[in-house]
Amino acid sequence: MTWTDVVAAVFLLAGSLSCLFGAIGILTFPDVVSRLQAATKPQTFGLILIVIGAALRMNAHSASGLLLVVLFQLLTAPVLAQIVGRAAYRADSIRRDTLDTDELADRLHRERSSG
Amino acid sequence: MTDRADSRTGERVVSRRRPWWSRVARKLPLLLWLTLVWGLLWGTYDAGTVFFGVLVSVLVMSVFPVPSISTDLALRPLRVVELVAYLAWDMASSTLRVSWQALRHGPRIRAGIVEVTLRIDSDHLIALLANGLSLAPGKFVLQIDRPNRICYVYTLGMITDPATIRSEVLALERRVVRAFGSAGERERMTELSDTGKDTR
């Protein structure tokens, strides 16, 4: 067992843990928008760590494709979160009682009442 | 309204005809990028792969043409590295925070939607900022009011003071502008911060 193995193992385990916490968040959080946070982000972070861990154990030749996996994940995940989150807000499937402040609703309310 | 239109002219989709060599030169970066991706997919860069990479890229670009967009984005490599490092750190620390919140609060989690008035006035910079914000767990941009440069940021976790969230968003905005902003955007930024206007 070399140092590379140890570092790779740490990355793989940390990545898996991050995905696990993401899954726990999906189960326990109350509404679509908060679950979205757990579904898209810890999973992205976990994937990046797992890819780094895997790349350490592979030769550079086969690891290059992994770069693309990370890149497209980073580009697509936030867009997905934003689109779904917006749709959820508009469709009113957000638990308003969990919000401490909602300045978007305040503004919509102002605009509606002013005409 | 007029000054907004003025400041946006730099980003308008270019539609007038340019000489053919100029049009080819403008398409080269995309061609190189697509060929690079092709090479990454195959894992090699031997002559045959590159040849077919270029062929496939030309095919893709002619079947799915994209308008060439001129931007006034600048690129400062050191600042970009700084931004990437910050985003990586933000991602790691926020993952820990959200994981802890999932275990500790779960269904009783609190959240908030905060209105932030941005100082930048460029479509591309705002898109970069929104994507950067949405990268880390716990925050994402729910809605953008482009004409008034307001974005609505959803934040997971107890919001004791919306001003903290605002200053976090504006701090990331500053980093994005330092890394990618044009000289004009950077000046605007320092002006607005100095006068204290728009930094609510």
Side-chain angles (χ1 to χ4, degrees), chain B residues 133-177:
Chain B
L133 263 185
S134 306
L135 212 54
K139 268 202 205 75
F140 81 101
V141 178
L142 194 65
Q143 182 77 267
I144 299 175
D145 175 359
R146 181 64 187 82
N148 297 317
R149 313 198 312 275
I150 298 172
C151 68
Y152 292 88
V153 182
Y154 174 93
T155 314
L156 204 60
M158 184 77 107
I159 313 286
T160 42
D161 183 15
T164 335
I165 308 293
R166 272 188 207 114
S167 61
E168 276 175 35
V169 174
L170 293 177
L172 180 63
E173 181 196 28
R174 194 172 305 120
R175 286 175 188 276
V176 169
V177 172

mmCIF file of all heavy atoms in Angstrom, chain B residues 133-177:
data_model
loop_
_atom_site.group_PDB
_atom_site.id
_atom_site.type_symbol
_atom_site.label_atom_id
_atom_site.label_comp_id
_atom_site.label_asym_id
_atom_site.label_seq_id
_atom_site.Cartn_x
_atom_site.Cartn_y
_atom_site.Cartn_z
ATOM 1 N N LEU B 133 -22.873 30.942 -7.369
ATOM 2 C CA LEU B 133 -23.660 30.911 -6.137
ATOM 3 C C LEU B 133 -24.377 29.582 -5.979
ATOM 4 O O LEU B 133 -24.463 29.040 -4.885
ATOM 5 C CB LEU B 133 -24.725 32.008 -6.176
ATOM 6 C CG LEU B 133 -24.450 33.331 -5.499
ATOM 7 C CD1 LEU B 133 -25.694 34.187 -5.587
ATOM 8 C CD2 LEU B 133 -24.058 33.119 -4.059
ATOM 9 N N SER B 134 -24.902 29.077 -7.109
ATOM 10 C CA SER B 134 -25.721 27.872 -7.040
ATOM 11 C C SER B 134 -24.878 26.610 -6.935
ATOM 12 O O SER B 134 -25.410 25.524 -6.768
ATOM 13 C CB SER B 134 -26.619 27.779 -8.271
ATOM 14 O OG SER B 134 -27.367 28.965 -8.419
ATOM 15 N N LEU B 135 -23.546 26.755 -7.051
ATOM 16 C CA LEU B 135 -22.668 25.585 -7.042
ATOM 17 C C LEU B 135 -22.610 24.936 -5.668
ATOM 18 O O LEU B 135 -22.659 23.725 -5.534
ATOM 19 C CB LEU B 135 -21.271 26.037 -7.465
ATOM 20 C CG LEU B 135 -20.416 25.054 -8.229
ATOM 21 C CD1 LEU B 135 -21.156 24.555 -9.451
ATOM 22 C CD2 LEU B 135 -19.127 25.741 -8.641
ATOM 23 N N ALA B 136 -22.494 25.773 -4.641
ATOM 24 C CA ALA B 136 -22.330 25.239 -3.298
ATOM 25 C C ALA B 136 -23.692 24.934 -2.692
ATOM 26 O O ALA B 136 -24.671 25.605 -2.997
ATOM 27 C CB ALA B 136 -21.583 26.239 -2.435
ATOM 28 N N PRO B 137 -23.778 23.924 -1.826
ATOM 29 C CA PRO B 137 -25.051 23.588 -1.215
ATOM 30 C C PRO B 137 -25.530 24.724 -0.316
ATOM 31 O O PRO B 137 -24.725 25.464 0.228
ATOM 32 C CB PRO B 137 -24.737 22.368 -0.359
ATOM 33 C CG PRO B 137 -23.417 21.905 -0.783
ATOM 34 C CD PRO B 137 -22.697 23.069 -1.363
ATOM 35 N N GLY B 138 -26.839 24.845 -0.204
ATOM 36 C CA GLY B 138 -27.364 25.805 0.754
ATOM 37 C C GLY B 138 -27.802 27.116 0.153
ATOM 38 O O GLY B 138 -28.525 27.867 0.770
ATOM 39 N N LYS B 139 -27.330 27.418 -1.071
ATOM 40 C CA LYS B 139 -27.737 28.678 -1.677
ATOM 41 C C LYS B 139 -28.054 28.442 -3.141
ATOM 42 O O LYS B 139 -27.405 27.655 -3.790
ATOM 43 C CB LYS B 139 -26.573 29.676 -1.645
ATOM 44 C CG LYS B 139 -26.533 30.574 -0.446
ATOM 45 C CD LYS B 139 -25.733 31.808 -0.791
ATOM 46 C CE LYS B 139 -25.150 32.441 0.450
ATOM 47 N NZ LYS B 139 -24.008 31.683 0.979
ATOM 48 N N PHE B 140 -29.071 29.109 -3.663
ATOM 49 C CA PHE B 140 -29.189 29.193 -5.105
ATOM 50 C C PHE B 140 -30.047 30.373 -5.508
ATOM 51 O O PHE B 140 -30.806 30.902 -4.701
ATOM 52 C CB PHE B 140 -29.658 27.883 -5.732
ATOM 53 C CG PHE B 140 -31.125 27.640 -5.688
ATOM 54 C CD1 PHE B 140 -31.908 27.862 -6.808
ATOM 55 C CD2 PHE B 140 -31.725 27.176 -4.541
ATOM 56 C CE1 PHE B 140 -33.260 27.622 -6.773
ATOM 57 C CE2 PHE B 140 -33.076 26.933 -4.506
ATOM 58 C CZ PHE B 140 -33.848 27.161 -5.614
ATOM 59 N N VAL B 141 -29.846 30.800 -6.748
ATOM 60 C CA VAL B 141 -30.549 31.980 -7.232
ATOM 61 C C VAL B 141 -31.913 31.557 -7.742
ATOM 62 O O VAL B 141 -32.028 30.751 -8.658
ATOM 63 C CB VAL B 141 -29.755 32.659 -8.351
ATOM 64 C CG1 VAL B 141 -30.512 33.854 -8.882
ATOM 65 C CG2 VAL B 141 -28.403 33.093 -7.839
ATOM 66 N N LEU B 142 -32.958 32.078 -7.105
ATOM 67 C CA LEU B 142 -34.313 31.645 -7.423
ATOM 68 C C LEU B 142 -34.877 32.450 -8.577
ATOM 69 O O LEU B 142 -35.580 31.925 -9.428
ATOM 70 C CB LEU B 142 -35.185 31.839 -6.174
ATOM 71 C CG LEU B 142 -36.539 31.176 -6.154
ATOM 72 C CD1 LEU B 142 -36.378 29.679 -6.175
ATOM 73 C CD2 LEU B 142 -37.295 31.586 -4.906
ATOM 74 N N GLN B 143 -34.554 33.734 -8.608
ATOM 75 C CA GLN B 143 -35.166 34.619 -9.586
ATOM 76 C C GLN B 143 -34.222 35.791 -9.835
ATOM 77 O O GLN B 143 -33.560 36.252 -8.904
ATOM 78 C CB GLN B 143 -36.490 35.122 -8.999
ATOM 79 C CG GLN B 143 -37.294 36.016 -9.889
ATOM 80 C CD GLN B 143 -38.011 35.232 -10.957
ATOM 81 O OE1 GLN B 143 -37.490 35.081 -12.041
ATOM 82 N NE2 GLN B 143 -39.189 34.715 -10.663
ATOM 83 N N ILE B 144 -34.134 36.228 -11.080
ATOM 84 C CA ILE B 144 -33.303 37.400 -11.370
ATOM 85 C C ILE B 144 -34.161 38.468 -12.035
ATOM 86 O O ILE B 144 -34.870 38.185 -12.989
ATOM 87 C CB ILE B 144 -32.122 37.038 -12.305
ATOM 88 C CG1 ILE B 144 -31.216 36.008 -11.643
ATOM 89 C CG2 ILE B 144 -31.315 38.292 -12.639
ATOM 90 C CD1 ILE B 144 -30.115 35.517 -12.535
ATOM 91 N N ASP B 145 -34.105 39.660 -11.488
ATOM 92 C CA ASP B 145 -34.763 40.795 -12.107
ATOM 93 C C ASP B 145 -33.667 41.566 -12.834
ATOM 94 O O ASP B 145 -32.973 42.381 -12.248
ATOM 95 C CB ASP B 145 -35.416 41.646 -11.005
ATOM 96 C CG ASP B 145 -36.018 42.924 -11.575
ATOM 97 O OD1 ASP B 145 -35.914 43.143 -12.794
ATOM 98 O OD2 ASP B 145 -36.578 43.702 -10.783
ATOM 99 N N ARG B 146 -33.489 41.235 -14.119
ATOM 100 C CA ARG B 146 -32.345 41.744 -14.863
ATOM 101 C C ARG B 146 -32.343 43.278 -15.015
ATOM 102 O O ARG B 146 -31.311 43.910 -14.748
ATOM 103 C CB ARG B 146 -32.289 41.046 -16.227
ATOM 104 C CG ARG B 146 -31.138 41.443 -17.108
ATOM 105 C CD ARG B 146 -29.815 41.054 -16.493
ATOM 106 N NE ARG B 146 -28.712 41.584 -17.249
ATOM 107 C CZ ARG B 146 -28.244 42.803 -17.150
ATOM 108 N NH1 ARG B 146 -28.818 43.627 -16.306
ATOM 109 N NH2 ARG B 146 -27.235 43.218 -17.860
ATOM 110 N N PRO B 147 -33.473 43.919 -15.407
ATOM 111 C CA PRO B 147 -33.443 45.367 -15.586
ATOM 112 C C PRO B 147 -33.022 46.117 -14.319
ATOM 113 O O PRO B 147 -32.318 47.106 -14.393
ATOM 114 C CB PRO B 147 -34.879 45.722 -15.960
ATOM 115 C CG PRO B 147 -35.422 44.481 -16.529
ATOM 116 C CD PRO B 147 -34.760 43.353 -15.804
ATOM 117 N N ASN B 148 -33.460 45.636 -13.158
ATOM 118 C CA ASN B 148 -33.120 46.327 -11.916
ATOM 119 C C ASN B 148 -31.916 45.712 -11.213
ATOM 120 O O ASN B 148 -31.587 46.102 -10.097
ATOM 121 C CB ASN B 148 -34.315 46.326 -10.967
ATOM 122 C CG ASN B 148 -35.486 47.083 -11.567
ATOM 123 O OD1 ASN B 148 -35.301 48.141 -12.147
ATOM 124 N ND2 ASN B 148 -36.674 46.514 -11.457
ATOM 125 N N ARG B 149 -31.294 44.710 -11.838
ATOM 126 C CA ARG B 149 -30.114 44.033 -11.290
ATOM 127 C C ARG B 149 -30.356 43.488 -9.880
ATOM 128 O O ARG B 149 -29.541 43.651 -8.992
ATOM 129 C CB ARG B 149 -28.906 44.976 -11.269
ATOM 130 C CG ARG B 149 -28.663 45.760 -12.550
ATOM 131 C CD ARG B 149 -27.262 46.287 -12.586
ATOM 132 N NE ARG B 149 -26.883 46.937 -11.351
ATOM 133 C CZ ARG B 149 -27.137 48.208 -11.065
ATOM 134 N NH1 ARG B 149 -27.780 48.960 -11.930
ATOM 135 N NH2 ARG B 149 -26.736 48.715 -9.936
ATOM 136 N N ILE B 150 -31.517 42.870 -9.702
ATOM 137 C CA ILE B 150 -31.806 42.299 -8.392
ATOM 138 C C ILE B 150 -31.839 40.787 -8.538
ATOM 139 O O ILE B 150 -32.446 40.278 -9.479
ATOM 140 C CB ILE B 150 -33.174 42.780 -7.867
ATOM 141 C CG1 ILE B 150 -33.159 44.290 -7.692
ATOM 142 C CG2 ILE B 150 -33.519 42.101 -6.559
ATOM 143 C CD1 ILE B 150 -34.508 44.868 -7.369
ATOM 144 N N CYS B 151 -31.158 40.066 -7.642
ATOM 145 C CA CYS B 151 -31.382 38.636 -7.671
ATOM 146 C C CYS B 151 -31.902 38.170 -6.316
ATOM 147 O O CYS B 151 -31.605 38.739 -5.271
ATOM 148 C CB CYS B 151 -30.166 37.862 -8.156
ATOM 149 S SG CYS B 151 -28.765 37.874 -7.105
ATOM 150 N N TYR B 152 -32.756 37.161 -6.377
ATOM 151 C CA TYR B 152 -33.378 36.609 -5.182
ATOM 152 C C TYR B 152 -32.681 35.305 -4.859
ATOM 153 O O TYR B 152 -32.703 34.375 -5.652
ATOM 154 C CB TYR B 152 -34.879 36.423 -5.400
ATOM 155 C CG TYR B 152 -35.570 37.758 -5.524
ATOM 156 C CD1 TYR B 152 -35.695 38.392 -6.752
ATOM 157 C CD2 TYR B 152 -36.034 38.410 -4.390
ATOM 158 C CE1 TYR B 152 -36.288 39.633 -6.851
ATOM 159 C CE2 TYR B 152 -36.628 39.642 -4.480
ATOM 160 C CZ TYR B 152 -36.757 40.258 -5.712
ATOM 161 O OH TYR B 152 -37.329 41.492 -5.789
ATOM 162 N N VAL B 153 -32.026 35.274 -3.707
ATOM 163 C CA VAL B 153 -31.200 34.133 -3.345
ATOM 164 C C VAL B 153 -31.884 33.327 -2.250
ATOM 165 O O VAL B 153 -32.218 33.867 -1.187
ATOM 166 C CB VAL B 153 -29.819 34.596 -2.854
ATOM 167 C CG1 VAL B 153 -28.940 33.411 -2.521
ATOM 168 C CG2 VAL B 153 -29.151 35.469 -3.904
ATOM 169 N N TYR B 154 -32.102 32.051 -2.536
ATOM 170 C CA TYR B 154 -32.662 31.151 -1.534
ATOM 171 C C TYR B 154 -31.515 30.618 -0.690
ATOM 172 O O TYR B 154 -30.491 30.193 -1.231
ATOM 173 C CB TYR B 154 -33.380 29.994 -2.232
ATOM 174 C CG TYR B 154 -33.875 28.929 -1.297
ATOM 175 C CD1 TYR B 154 -35.164 28.976 -0.801
ATOM 176 C CD2 TYR B 154 -33.057 27.868 -0.935
ATOM 177 C CE1 TYR B 154 -35.622 27.996 0.062
ATOM 178 C CE2 TYR B 154 -33.502 26.888 -0.068
ATOM 179 C CZ TYR B 154 -34.792 26.955 0.420
ATOM 180 O OH TYR B 154 -35.230 25.996 1.277
ATOM 181 N N THR B 155 -31.659 30.682 0.607
ATOM 182 C CA THR B 155 -30.596 30.201 1.489
ATOM 183 C C THR B 155 -31.167 29.242 2.512
ATOM 184 O O THR B 155 -32.175 29.541 3.157
ATOM 185 C CB THR B 155 -29.927 31.366 2.229
ATOM 186 O OG1 THR B 155 -29.664 32.395 1.290
ATOM 187 C CG2 THR B 155 -28.643 30.924 2.874
ATOM 188 N N LEU B 156 -30.501 28.107 2.639
ATOM 189 C CA LEU B 156 -30.930 27.107 3.606
ATOM 190 C C LEU B 156 -30.264 27.419 4.935
ATOM 191 O O LEU B 156 -29.092 27.776 4.977
ATOM 192 C CB LEU B 156 -30.489 25.726 3.101
ATOM 193 C CG LEU B 156 -31.257 24.521 3.590
ATOM 194 C CD1 LEU B 156 -32.712 24.616 3.189
ATOM 195 C CD2 LEU B 156 -30.642 23.261 3.002
ATOM 196 N N GLY B 157 -30.993 27.265 6.007
ATOM 197 C CA GLY B 157 -30.419 27.545 7.319
ATOM 198 C C GLY B 157 -31.055 28.787 7.893
ATOM 199 O O GLY B 157 -31.604 29.598 7.168
ATOM 200 N N MET B 158 -30.945 28.914 9.201
ATOM 201 C CA MET B 158 -31.592 30.036 9.870
ATOM 202 C C MET B 158 -31.093 31.379 9.351
ATOM 203 O O MET B 158 -29.898 31.619 9.294
ATOM 204 C CB MET B 158 -31.291 29.924 11.370
ATOM 205 C CG MET B 158 -31.974 30.981 12.192
ATOM 206 S SD MET B 158 -33.705 30.578 12.400
ATOM 207 C CE MET B 158 -33.699 30.090 14.118
ATOM 208 N N ILE B 159 -32.013 32.239 8.941
ATOM 209 C CA ILE B 159 -31.621 33.572 8.506
ATOM 210 C C ILE B 159 -31.846 34.518 9.670
ATOM 211 O O ILE B 159 -32.967 34.949 9.927
ATOM 212 C CB ILE B 159 -32.475 34.057 7.324
ATOM 213 C CG1 ILE B 159 -32.601 33.001 6.266
ATOM 214 C CG2 ILE B 159 -31.922 35.353 6.764
ATOM 215 C CD1 ILE B 159 -31.383 32.794 5.458
ATOM 216 N N THR B 160 -30.785 34.828 10.391
ATOM 217 C CA THR B 160 -30.967 35.766 11.495
ATOM 218 C C THR B 160 -30.918 37.184 10.959
ATOM 219 O O THR B 160 -31.627 38.053 11.425
ATOM 220 C CB THR B 160 -29.874 35.572 12.562
ATOM 221 O OG1 THR B 160 -28.634 35.371 11.886
ATOM 222 C CG2 THR B 160 -30.169 34.369 13.418
ATOM 223 N N ASP B 161 -30.065 37.381 9.953
ATOM 224 C CA ASP B 161 -29.886 38.725 9.430
ATOM 225 C C ASP B 161 -29.650 38.668 7.920
ATOM 226 O O ASP B 161 -28.591 38.219 7.491
ATOM 227 C CB ASP B 161 -28.690 39.375 10.135
ATOM 228 C CG ASP B 161 -28.496 40.802 9.673
ATOM 229 O OD1 ASP B 161 -29.432 41.347 9.047
ATOM 230 O OD2 ASP B 161 -27.422 41.349 9.925
ATOM 231 N N PRO B 162 -30.630 39.107 7.125
ATOM 232 C CA PRO B 162 -30.474 39.049 5.664
ATOM 233 C C PRO B 162 -29.234 39.787 5.189
ATOM 234 O O PRO B 162 -28.686 39.463 4.137
ATOM 235 C CB PRO B 162 -31.737 39.742 5.145
ATOM 236 C CG PRO B 162 -32.721 39.588 6.241
ATOM 237 C CD PRO B 162 -31.936 39.622 7.513
ATOM 238 N N ALA B 163 -28.753 40.768 5.959
ATOM 239 C CA ALA B 163 -27.590 41.548 5.544
ATOM 240 C C ALA B 163 -26.350 40.659 5.396
ATOM 241 O O ALA B 163 -25.499 40.902 4.539
ATOM 242 C CB ALA B 163 -27.329 42.671 6.530
ATOM 243 N N THR B 164 -26.236 39.603 6.236
ATOM 244 C CA THR B 164 -25.087 38.699 6.128
ATOM 245 C C THR B 164 -25.077 38.011 4.777
ATOM 246 O O THR B 164 -24.036 37.914 4.124
ATOM 247 C CB THR B 164 -25.171 37.603 7.212
ATOM 248 O OG1 THR B 164 -25.946 38.089 8.291
ATOM 249 C CG2 THR B 164 -23.812 37.191 7.678
ATOM 250 N N ILE B 165 -26.270 37.515 4.372
ATOM 251 C CA ILE B 165 -26.378 36.835 3.089
ATOM 252 C C ILE B 165 -26.007 37.808 1.970
ATOM 253 O O ILE B 165 -25.250 37.471 1.058
ATOM 254 C CB ILE B 165 -27.819 36.328 2.847
ATOM 255 C CG1 ILE B 165 -28.307 35.515 4.036
ATOM 256 C CG2 ILE B 165 -27.899 35.534 1.562
ATOM 257 C CD1 ILE B 165 -27.589 34.232 4.248
ATOM 258 N N ARG B 166 -26.534 39.039 2.084
ATOM 259 C CA ARG B 166 -26.240 40.044 1.059
ATOM 260 C C ARG B 166 -24.749 40.268 0.932
ATOM 261 O O ARG B 166 -24.209 40.296 -0.173
ATOM 262 C CB ARG B 166 -26.922 41.367 1.417
ATOM 263 C CG ARG B 166 -28.313 41.415 0.874
ATOM 264 C CD ARG B 166 -28.951 42.766 1.035
ATOM 265 N NE ARG B 166 -30.378 42.528 1.103
ATOM 266 C CZ ARG B 166 -31.125 42.747 2.162
ATOM 267 N NH1 ARG B 166 -30.604 43.273 3.247
ATOM 268 N NH2 ARG B 166 -32.400 42.461 2.134
ATOM 269 N N SER B 167 -24.074 40.415 2.066
ATOM 270 C CA SER B 167 -22.639 40.706 1.966
ATOM 271 C C SER B 167 -21.886 39.495 1.417
ATOM 272 O O SER B 167 -20.904 39.651 0.703
ATOM 273 C CB SER B 167 -22.078 41.149 3.311
ATOM 274 O OG SER B 167 -22.246 40.134 4.252
ATOM 275 N N GLU B 168 -22.374 38.269 1.696
ATOM 276 C CA GLU B 168 -21.727 37.079 1.124
ATOM 277 C C GLU B 168 -21.855 37.070 -0.391
ATOM 278 O O GLU B 168 -20.898 36.795 -1.109
ATOM 279 C CB GLU B 168 -22.364 35.802 1.691
ATOM 280 C CG GLU B 168 -21.803 35.370 3.024
ATOM 281 C CD GLU B 168 -22.550 34.171 3.577
ATOM 282 O OE1 GLU B 168 -22.989 33.297 2.772
ATOM 283 O OE2 GLU B 168 -22.726 34.124 4.786
ATOM 284 N N VAL B 169 -23.088 37.376 -0.866
ATOM 285 C CA VAL B 169 -23.321 37.391 -2.313
ATOM 286 C C VAL B 169 -22.468 38.474 -2.969
ATOM 287 O O VAL B 169 -21.817 38.248 -3.996
ATOM 288 C CB VAL B 169 -24.810 37.626 -2.634
ATOM 289 C CG1 VAL B 169 -25.023 37.794 -4.121
ATOM 290 C CG2 VAL B 169 -25.649 36.473 -2.120
ATOM 291 N N LEU B 170 -22.420 39.653 -2.341
ATOM 292 C CA LEU B 170 -21.650 40.757 -2.919
ATOM 293 C C LEU B 170 -20.153 40.464 -2.893
ATOM 294 O O LEU B 170 -19.411 40.909 -3.777
ATOM 295 C CB LEU B 170 -21.964 42.061 -2.177
ATOM 296 C CG LEU B 170 -23.405 42.556 -2.379
ATOM 297 C CD1 LEU B 170 -23.663 43.799 -1.550
ATOM 298 C CD2 LEU B 170 -23.705 42.826 -3.841
ATOM 299 N N ALA B 171 -19.708 39.671 -1.901
ATOM 300 C CA ALA B 171 -18.294 39.297 -1.859
ATOM 301 C C ALA B 171 -17.960 38.396 -3.048
ATOM 302 O O ALA B 171 -16.916 38.558 -3.693
ATOM 303 C CB ALA B 171 -17.964 38.588 -0.553
ATOM 304 N N LEU B 172 -18.866 37.444 -3.340
ATOM 305 C CA LEU B 172 -18.637 36.583 -4.498
ATOM 306 C C LEU B 172 -18.692 37.400 -5.785
ATOM 307 O O LEU B 172 -17.893 37.192 -6.710
ATOM 308 C CB LEU B 172 -19.675 35.457 -4.541
ATOM 309 C CG LEU B 172 -19.529 34.488 -5.715
ATOM 310 C CD1 LEU B 172 -18.204 33.747 -5.624
ATOM 311 C CD2 LEU B 172 -20.671 33.503 -5.792
ATOM 312 N N GLU B 173 -19.618 38.373 -5.814
ATOM 313 C CA GLU B 173 -19.729 39.243 -6.983
ATOM 314 C C GLU B 173 -18.395 39.946 -7.237
ATOM 315 O O GLU B 173 -17.916 40.024 -8.374
ATOM 316 C CB GLU B 173 -20.827 40.282 -6.736
ATOM 317 C CG GLU B 173 -21.047 41.222 -7.893
ATOM 318 C CD GLU B 173 -21.848 42.452 -7.488
ATOM 319 O OE1 GLU B 173 -21.773 42.840 -6.311
ATOM 320 O OE2 GLU B 173 -22.518 43.020 -8.351
ATOM 321 N N ARG B 174 -17.773 40.437 -6.146
ATOM 322 C CA ARG B 174 -16.498 41.134 -6.287
ATOM 323 C C ARG B 174 -15.446 40.200 -6.873
ATOM 324 O O ARG B 174 -14.679 40.573 -7.763
ATOM 325 C CB ARG B 174 -16.049 41.665 -4.924
ATOM 326 C CG ARG B 174 -14.929 42.678 -5.021
ATOM 327 C CD ARG B 174 -14.637 43.325 -3.691
ATOM 328 N NE ARG B 174 -15.823 43.934 -3.084
ATOM 329 C CZ ARG B 174 -16.318 43.598 -1.911
ATOM 330 N NH1 ARG B 174 -15.750 42.649 -1.199
ATOM 331 N NH2 ARG B 174 -17.380 44.204 -1.437
ATOM 332 N N ARG B 175 -15.432 38.945 -6.395
ATOM 333 C CA ARG B 175 -14.446 37.992 -6.919
ATOM 334 C C ARG B 175 -14.676 37.705 -8.393
ATOM 335 O O ARG B 175 -13.734 37.598 -9.179
ATOM 336 C CB ARG B 175 -14.511 36.687 -6.126
ATOM 337 C CG ARG B 175 -13.912 36.824 -4.758
ATOM 338 C CD ARG B 175 -14.100 35.554 -3.944
ATOM 339 N NE ARG B 175 -13.703 35.746 -2.579
ATOM 340 C CZ ARG B 175 -12.452 35.647 -2.159
ATOM 341 N NH1 ARG B 175 -11.502 35.342 -3.009
ATOM 342 N NH2 ARG B 175 -12.156 35.841 -0.896
ATOM 343 N N VAL B 176 -15.970 37.550 -8.778
ATOM 344 C CA VAL B 176 -16.282 37.267 -10.181
ATOM 345 C C VAL B 176 -15.830 38.427 -11.066
ATOM 346 O O VAL B 176 -15.226 38.229 -12.115
ATOM 347 C CB VAL B 176 -17.795 37.002 -10.361
ATOM 348 C CG1 VAL B 176 -18.172 36.986 -11.828
ATOM 349 C CG2 VAL B 176 -18.184 35.689 -9.719
ATOM 350 N N VAL B 177 -16.111 39.660 -10.617
ATOM 351 C CA VAL B 177 -15.730 40.824 -11.420
ATOM 352 C C VAL B 177 -14.209 40.923 -11.531
ATOM 353 O O VAL B 177 -13.664 41.199 -12.595
ATOM 354 C CB VAL B 177 -16.311 42.117 -10.824
ATOM 355 C CG1 VAL B 177 -15.757 43.335 -11.530
ATOM 356 C CG2 VAL B 177 -17.814 42.105 -10.948
#
